[in-house]
Amino acid sequence: MAENTSKAWRNQVIYSVYVRNHTAEGTFEAVRRDLARIKALGADIIWFLPVHPIGEKGHKGTLGCPYAIRDYRAVNPEYGTLDDFKRLVDDIHAHGMKCIIDVVYNHTSPDSWLAQHHPEWFYHKPDGSFGNRIGDWSDVIDLDYSQPGLWEYQIETLKYWASIVDGFRCDVAPLVPIAFWRRARGEVEAVRPGCFWLAESVEPAFLVENRARGMIGHSDSELYQAFDACYDYDIFPQYQMYLKGEIPLCTYTESINRQEYTYPDNYVKLRFLENHDQSRAAFVIPDEKSLANWTAFLFFQKGITLVYGGQEASCTHLPSLFDRDPVDWKSGRDLSPLMQRLTAMKRDALFADSRYFVQALPRGIARAEHTADGARMVGVFSLRGEASLVAVNVPDGVYENLAGDGTVEVHGGKIACSGEPVIIRVCEP
């Protein structure tokens, strides 16, 4: 684990923005006009998908993928100018939020500035041509981190952006040497003390497959040497299999509990139901009650919470990475009021430093607890939206429901769950 990673990151909420499709205009300025709403939702950090120019050679779709970067040290003119971006970041800070940007250091577009000026810094196929080692990433070519000059250039680039933004989300971080990330973190700290580092760690099958092919493939445990937070892709397959009915709920909850003893005490997981690479939560969880429960469980989980722009509107359509495909903000139920309650709840210090445990109960109920210093946060989540009588092992009484309006009663150590999420805070002598 990064030695100076604070557990307080677990109280935070990240809001992810794809500038091209966040608004009808698709510009930095249009996002800037939406900052007050994003702040009111409860966001602490705004993460921008890559803001750099996109390669034209071999590009996908009509406009290309933002992860096929042509120039690490410029901004995409489609979005505006560098001054526009700086103004946006300044306004993010004025709203009391932080800003992080995507770092895509495993590969570039085939027509990138680096490919033109430093072809020796790239992976080459046996015939000497550029190439990549992930077959369906046809619009990119891989970098070669055995080249010391590449390290210098990439770290200088990070230091440049760290003078503007507050941190980085690092794309497919496991495919880049951990020694590079450790050095980069140390050098960037001199420019941006407290810089936040988020690793897009990968699913187990992808990791094992890449290792079998002789590629670098760092586990989450290795990445925590340099990063403050990792994705929870280590258990995402279990989440997906449970939704498909392929495994029982207990198999998923047991995978969550394993994280408590697998990782260091100050581990931070990025908790998400959706992101720009995965189906929308409202698409895979169409029932409104179920979606409300999964959303409440998302915020309740131990870790930093991710909201992908449009998730609060229950969008079912995942915007294309390669085309103009704006978010339809009126497509579904507005979850903003629920998320606002949940972000307020997440500020509680108990979520930063606790013993965390999740248990699967009949009828698709997940009961979860954060416990520390005589206080408990108890959550009851009906993941199938069904009513049930649930034992909660707390003193009888009437409690405020932090996940909804009004109160809930505990009688005989049980709660009558109506199918809506219930979260209560209990202080015991």
Side-chain angles (χ1 to χ4, degrees):
M1 191 71 187
E3 293 181 358
N4 59 347
T5 293
S6 170
K7 294 179 181 180
W9 290 118
R10 296 170 178 162
N11 293 116
Q12 303 280 289
V13 175
I14 298 177
Y15 189 89
S16 177
V17 171
Y18 183 18
V19 175
R20 175 189 288 166
N21 288 327
H22 188 76
T23 63
E25 300 93 329
T27 62
F28 293 136
E29 175 59 23
V31 174
R32 194 185 68 81
R33 295 194 297 267
D34 195 33
L35 291 180
R37 183 194 65 83
I38 295 172
K39 174 64 176 179
L41 191 65
D44 302 286
I45 302 168
I46 293 182
W47 153 34
F48 289 108
L49 271 64
V51 296
H52 309 298
I54 295 171
E56 297 179 2
K57 185 177 180 180
H59 72 79
K60 295 181 177 181
T62 57
L63 295 175
C65 179
Y67 289 89
I69 292 173
R70 195 168 73 245
D71 186 351
Y72 289 123
R73 298 185 177 182
V75 297
N76 189 343
E78 172 191 347
Y79 301 161
T81 66
L82 179 60
D83 284 341
D84 291 334
F85 180 69
K86 289 180 177 180
R87 182 184 181 204
L88 171 57
V89 175
D90 286 344
D91 216 3
I92 289 171
H93 291 158
H95 279 84
M97 297 182 288
K98 295 182 182 294
C99 173
I100 66 174
I101 59 171
D102 236 307
V103 169
V104 187
Y105 269 14
N106 177 68
H107 49 258
T108 75
S109 70
D111 54 351
S112 68
W113 187 93
L114 282 184
Q116 295 174 42
H117 291 82
H118 289 284
E120 73 278 12
W121 291 352
F122 286 80
Y123 162 77
H124 294 272
K125 294 186 290 187
D127 65 3
S129 63
F130 291 127
N132 74 77
R133 288 158 286 190
I134 307 295
D136 61 347
W137 297 356
S138 60
D139 57 343
V140 297
I141 55 176
D142 287 358
L143 289 160
D144 177 6
Y145 278 85
S146 68
Q147 303 294 321
L150 175 62
W151 287 44
E152 299 292 338
Y153 183 88
Q154 298 291 63
I155 290 174
E156 284 303 311
T157 302
L158 288 168
K159 289 161 69 174
Y160 166 72
W161 287 111
S163 69
I164 300 170
V165 302
D166 306 289
F168 304 103
R169 178 268 189 190
C170 300
D171 188 65
V172 288
L175 304 188
V176 176
I178 190 64
F180 170 82
W181 293 125
R182 286 198 301 263
R183 178 179 161 188
R185 182 186 179 107
E187 293 197 28
V188 167
E189 188 69 15
V191 176
R192 176 70 63 173
C195 182
F196 177 65
W197 294 82
L198 168 62
E200 186 203 18
S201 47
V202 298
E203 294 175 323
F206 185 67
L207 183 68
V208 171
E209 178 186 346
N210 286 336
R211 286 177 172 177
R213 297 168 61 198
M215 296 173 60
I216 293 173
H218 294 303
S219 68
D220 288 23
S221 296
E222 293 172 294
L223 292 170
Y224 276 131
Q225 298 174 44
F227 288 89
D228 297 300
C230 290
Y231 273 46
D232 67 353
Y233 272 144
D234 54 322
I235 63 169
F236 195 69
Q238 284 75 26
Y239 160 75
Q240 292 175 309
M241 287 188 287
Y242 172 67
L243 288 181
K244 295 174 184 176
E246 296 174 354
I247 59 171
L249 180 59
C250 63
T251 302
Y252 173 53
T253 59
E254 287 166 4
S255 70
I256 297 172
N257 292 331
R258 274 198 303 274
Q259 292 177 326
E260 280 288 273
Y261 57 81
T262 300
Y263 302 119
D265 180 57
N266 61 335
Y267 81 98
V268 180
K269 275 289 178 180
L270 180 75
R271 304 296 185 179
F272 57 89
L273 297 178
E274 63 180 61
N275 60 53
H276 67 272
D277 286 322
Q278 302 296 334
S279 297
R280 289 286 197 181
F283 178 78
V284 297
I285 310 169
D287 180 76
E288 285 194 359
K289 276 192 175 182
S290 295
L291 183 59
N293 277 275
W294 277 106
T295 301
F297 185 45
L298 167 69
F299 280 80
F300 192 88
Q301 288 247 56
K302 191 174 192 175
I304 193 166
T305 303
L306 175 68
V307 175
Y308 181 40
Q311 182 175 345
E312 67 271 40
S314 300
C315 293
T316 57
H317 171 66
L318 184 67
S320 167
L321 282 177
F322 317 126
D323 306 285
R324 287 285 293 124
D325 190 13
V327 172
D328 180 359
W329 292 98
K330 299 186 182 300
S331 62
R333 176 188 175 188
D334 183 9
L335 293 175
S336 298
L338 173 61
M339 289 186 177
Q340 288 168 341
R341 289 193 293 269
L342 295 170
T343 51
M345 171 205 71
K346 197 167 181 64
R347 307 289 184 249
D348 193 302
L350 195 56
F351 284 97
D353 193 5
S354 68
R355 178 182 177 182
Y356 183 55
F357 182 76
V358 189
Q359 183 178 11
L361 302 177
R363 303 179 68 85
I365 303 290
R367 182 181 61 204
E369 291 192 14
H370 289 270
T371 307
D373 300 325
R376 282 194 293 159
M377 198 75 76
V378 180
V380 175
F381 308 99
S382 180
L383 301 179
R384 298 203 300 249
E386 297 181 7
S388 185
L389 194 63
V390 182
V392 289
N393 191 30
V394 303
D396 286 2
V398 177
Y399 297 84
E400 178 187 3
N401 182 10
L402 300 177
D405 296 324
T407 59
V408 293
E409 182 177 2
V410 178
H411 181 71
K414 296 180 179 180
I415 285 176
C417 172
S418 66
E420 299 287 349
V422 174
I423 299 173
I424 59 176
R425 198 183 198 283
V426 185
C427 294
E428 298 172 327

